[in-house]
Amino acid sequence: MGKLVIVGTMAFDAIETPFGKTDKILGGAATFIGLAASHFKIDTAAVSVVGGDFPQEYLNLLSKRNINLDGVEIVKEGKTFFWSGRYHNDMNSRDTLVTELNTLADFNPIVPKDYRDASVVMLGNLHPIVQSSVLDQMTKKPDLVILDTMNFWMDTALNDLHNVIKRVDVITINDEEARQLTGEYSLVIAARKIQEMGPQYVVIKKGEHGALLFNDDNVFYAPALPLEEVFDPTGAGDTFAGGFAGYIARTNDTSFENMKNAIIYGSTLASFCVEKFGTERMVNLSGDEVHKRLLEFKQLTQFEIELG
């Protein structure tokens, strides 16, 4: 079993969907990734920054999940990163209403010394220079470096993004971002071009339509589990990444075959995340519920075909 380092935001979110709206609630990439990864009982550390307004109860919540918080900087006089958004009726598109960087604007991540030899590093969606600085601190090359990014960095820091992409093993982006990064509409061609940039593995997330995994000429597709209701997609991508990274760290196996399993675990956990606002569902999620839904995934995807 390996160590996992998670780098990303710990934040406040205010969300509006067709099902309702929230005031400021717990959010952030590192939060969702950490909650998902905690289901694998691994040695995990979060690297992030918050303000003095970040409640101790939120920190306690993560600590109780055995997430080491030595790498979380608390700026007493500062305010925590805040994002507010409104989802459209299709729940696939949204409008950002407010983004306040606050303490994140000057974030200088410090990886705790005991975790600089981590076998898996999960670089949540942050400025590419911040992501690179984390890799510079590792005392040995991780077995797997996973990068999440978004179109904002493609628009504003493309050269820096290309530099960090060269250094990672897995990149997770959505289909729109894959097309923007490569200029290719075909996701198969886009994945091949991204692999040429450095990563061995490309994970393209397609929201309610599942996820694709590419490695050389190998392709794997995992559907999303059909759900009766989706209350809030916020954090689903990060939860997916946390499940993926947590499973790899737990199994110590970075083969393509094992990554198929990691994709299914990530998709399973993400299917819970969207059932409630914010982190509510993930905080109360039991291992038995995860096991039951994994069996549902198995029934959804496994079949025997007669070849005549």
Side-chain angles (χ1 to χ4, degrees), residues 11 13-14 40 177 230 275 279:
D13 290 340
F40 300 94
E177 292 157 352
V230 175
E275 292 182 340
T279 60

Side-chain angles (χ1 to χ4, degrees), residues 5 14-15 23 67 90 105 128-129 154 169 175 181 209 302:
V5 167
I15 301 155
D23 293 323
I67 299 170
D90 65 1
I129 290 179
M154 297 173 199
D169 305 292
D175 45 0
L181 184 59
H209 303 297
Q302 274 198 355

Side-chain angles (χ1 to χ4, degrees), residues 183-205:
E184 297 288 348
Y185 184 80
S186 163
L187 294 179
V188 176
I189 297 174
R192 188 181 307 131
K193 283 199 169 184
I194 294 170
Q195 286 182 76
E196 290 169 358
M197 297 175 188
Q200 290 177 271
Y201 300 93
V202 178
V203 178
I204 299 180
K205 299 171 290 186

Side-chain angles (χ1 to χ4, degrees), residues 21 33 81 102 118 140 236:
K21 61 190 299 186
I33 294 168
F81 175 73
N102 298 327
K140 74 176 186 69

Side-chain angles (χ1 to χ4, degrees), residues 34-96:
L35 288 173
S38 70
H39 282 272
F40 300 94
K41 307 294 191 292
I42 51 177
D43 191 0
T44 302
V47 179
S48 191
V49 62
V50 297
D53 56 345
F54 198 74
Q56 184 63 41
E57 66 181 282
Y58 289 169
L59 296 171
N60 293 343
L61 168 70
L62 297 170
S63 291
K64 286 177 182 175
R65 300 300 180 99
N66 295 316
I67 299 170
N68 182 293
L69 301 181
D70 291 348
V72 178
E73 179 186 3
I74 301 173
V75 183
K76 295 286 189 184
E77 67 280 5
K79 287 187 175 183
T80 301
F81 175 73
F82 171 61
W83 177 84
S84 175
R86 180 191 298 123
Y87 285 88
H88 298 182
N89 285 335
D90 65 1
M91 300 293 274
N92 286 321
S93 53
R94 69 187 185 191
D95 298 320
T96 293

